[in-house]
Amino acid sequence: MRRTNKVKAMAAVLFMSMAVSGCKVGSTEVVVNSGFSGSEVFRIKDEVCTLPETLVFLTNYQNIYANMYGVNLWKHEFQENELETYVKDITVSQLAQILAMDFLAEEKDISLSEEEKAKIKEAAKAYYDSLNDAEKQYMHVSEGDIEKLYSRYGLANKLYTHLTGDVNAEVSDDDARVMEAAQIYVTDENDANEIENQLNNGADFMSLAGTYNEAAEIEVAFGRNDVPKEVEEAAFSLENDQISGKIAVENGWYFIKCINNYNQELTDANKSVILEQRRKEAFDDVYSEFLKELPSEFNEEVWKEVKIENDKEITTDSFFKTYEKYCNW
């Protein structure tokens, strides 16, 4: 029930509506095809995404993840295989979505202006010049490859802005409100009845929480849609320091003590989350329908041979930041 806001700096684009799991692009099954060259990873319609292009995304994602939480995740061997699979999936997912969105942009007569192309050219030069020899050799990229990637990425961003431009940007304080509370959650009805009885007789909430709580944490922060409806209705009616009665949910019972019924900072952040969700829904309404009939092919043999490279010289992680610096139109 805890609300966590993990800001993922891996991409400027916020249209993460399509997930790739194995060989799947949206709702379209990807055909594993032996007719690819050794440098082609997947094809959508008549456009191909090459191995050097995927390695740019893969390398940046792996280095962003490496220190995302203040520790190098790749050094924890028990997580390595799972993390490698996840980062490879994210790479194919993002690139496939970008390519698909560019076809949708073409259908809607959306294209990059000459000024935008010039900015992309500047960004490509800046990013390419930031690469050391080991990185260039590993990714097998030219400055032209980077410019092509930024052009695809920029057009996808422009389409997303176009499709979400009419979304209502007003989010009320009440809809976005995030409160801080202490909780007790139990799965045994006898325990719930005992807690209720002790609270009614003036027992200290935090002491009872320390004894009975089965949830991972006692002190939590949450918005309206982060908790079961029964908890939401009870919790958001509380004033500071008030304690709810016994709240029955599907698999147990909650007791909530309100610590702060309106956290301004978290509420403001939640407004951005709600607004982006609205934009995503507006985008999905158009994009998902378009994606259904989009023919796709995936070169599984080439992609399964790609491994995460942990060479100490390959540290580039600024692909998306460079785009934001030059192409934030």
Side-chain angles (χ1 to χ4, degrees):
M1 167 164 136
R2 179 181 178 87
R3 179 179 187 82
T4 56
N5 292 311
K6 293 179 180 177
V7 179
K8 298 193 175 180
M10 65 177 62
V13 181
L14 296 173
F15 48 69
M16 300 280 286
S17 65
M18 180 184 70
V20 167
S21 178
C23 298
K24 207 171 183 68
V25 176
S27 59
T28 304
E29 197 71 27
V30 178
V31 178
V32 178
N33 191 316
S34 60
F36 286 98
S37 76
S39 65
E40 297 175 344
V41 177
F42 66 84
R43 181 185 298 118
I44 297 179
K45 291 181 70 173
D46 56 351
E47 282 289 319
V48 170
C49 185
T50 66
L51 186 57
E53 290 171 337
T54 57
L55 286 176
V56 172
F57 269 52
L58 182 68
T59 304
N60 275 268
Y61 283 155
Q62 75 176 69
N63 288 327
I64 290 168
Y65 269 108
N67 297 293
M68 181 176 287
Y69 303 110
V71 296
N72 190 327
L73 298 182
W74 301 102
K75 291 181 179 178
H76 297 271
E77 293 184 4
F78 68 93
Q79 292 182 343
E80 189 166 329
N81 291 337
E82 181 181 349
L83 187 58
E84 178 168 316
T85 298
Y86 178 73
V87 172
K88 287 182 70 176
D89 283 351
I90 284 287
T91 296
V92 175
S93 174
Q94 278 287 276
L95 283 166
Q97 184 168 11
I98 288 166
L99 213 57
M101 289 177 71
D102 287 356
F103 281 114
L104 180 55
E106 182 181 352
E107 184 177 282
K108 293 186 172 295
D109 294 323
I110 297 170
S111 60
L112 296 173
S113 68
E114 291 304 314
E115 182 181 357
E116 289 165 345
K117 290 177 183 178
K119 291 290 186 183
I120 280 171
K121 195 173 187 67
E122 287 183 52
K125 183 179 188 313
Y127 178 70
Y128 186 75
D129 287 347
S130 75
L131 300 176
N132 60 41
D133 290 341
E135 291 163 343
K136 291 174 184 177
Q137 184 175 356
Y138 169 65
M139 295 187 289
H140 303 291
V141 288
S142 65
E143 187 175 323
D145 293 325
I146 303 300
E147 185 176 344
K148 184 179 179 181
L149 268 178
Y150 275 149
S151 295
R152 287 175 168 174
Y153 190 64
L155 185 57
N157 269 284
K158 192 168 184 177
L159 171 73
Y160 184 77
T161 300
H162 172 79
L163 293 179
T164 61
D166 294 331
V167 169
N168 180 11
E170 293 296 322
V171 180
S172 72
D173 286 346
D174 191 53
D175 286 344
R177 180 156 66 103
V178 175
M179 67 178 292
E180 298 169 272
Q183 66 175 348
I184 303 172
Y185 171 71
V186 293
T187 53
D188 184 271
E189 187 171 9
N190 290 329
D191 286 343
N193 291 335
E194 178 62 24
I195 294 166
E196 181 179 43
N197 181 57
Q198 291 197 46
L199 287 172
N200 288 337
N201 285 303
D204 178 68
F205 186 95
M206 298 303 286
S207 296
L208 291 174
T211 301
Y212 288 99
N213 181 47
E214 297 175 31
E217 296 168 291
I218 294 173
E219 295 190 34
V220 291
F222 52 86
R224 289 190 176 278
N225 295 319
D226 299 326
V227 294
K229 201 66 182 174
E230 301 88 347
V231 176
E232 177 188 324
E233 291 174 358
F236 280 86
S237 67
L238 298 174
E239 298 297 329
N240 291 350
D241 295 324
Q242 279 191 322
I243 298 172
S244 73
K246 180 173 60 178
I247 307 168
V249 295
E250 184 176 356
N251 297 310
W253 291 263
Y254 277 99
F255 298 84
I256 301 293
K257 179 176 181 178
C258 178
I259 297 172
N260 178 3
N261 68 3
Y262 184 85
N263 182 303
Q264 182 71 60
E265 182 179 356
L266 294 180
T267 296
D268 289 343
N270 197 31
K271 286 183 180 182
S272 298
V273 172
I274 293 171
L275 177 56
E276 196 50 51
Q277 181 61 33
R278 290 179 185 174
R279 288 175 176 154
K280 179 181 178 300
E281 289 169 358
F283 169 76
D284 283 349
D285 285 344
V286 179
Y287 176 73
S288 298
E289 192 63 30
F290 174 78
L291 191 65
K292 287 179 182 177
E293 304 303 324
L294 206 58
S296 309
E297 297 172 288
F298 183 68
N299 193 346
E300 187 176 39
E301 290 187 4
V302 163
W303 191 235
K304 73 180 181 182
E305 294 300 318
V306 173
K307 303 296 181 185
I308 295 294
E309 179 59 64
N310 285 316
D311 189 319
K312 291 181 180 179
E313 292 185 69
I314 300 174
T315 61
T316 179
D317 63 359
S318 62
F319 179 86
F320 302 107
K321 289 179 182 178
T322 303
Y323 173 87
E324 289 179 20
K325 179 180 178 180
Y326 287 88
C327 308
N328 191 19
W329 50 69

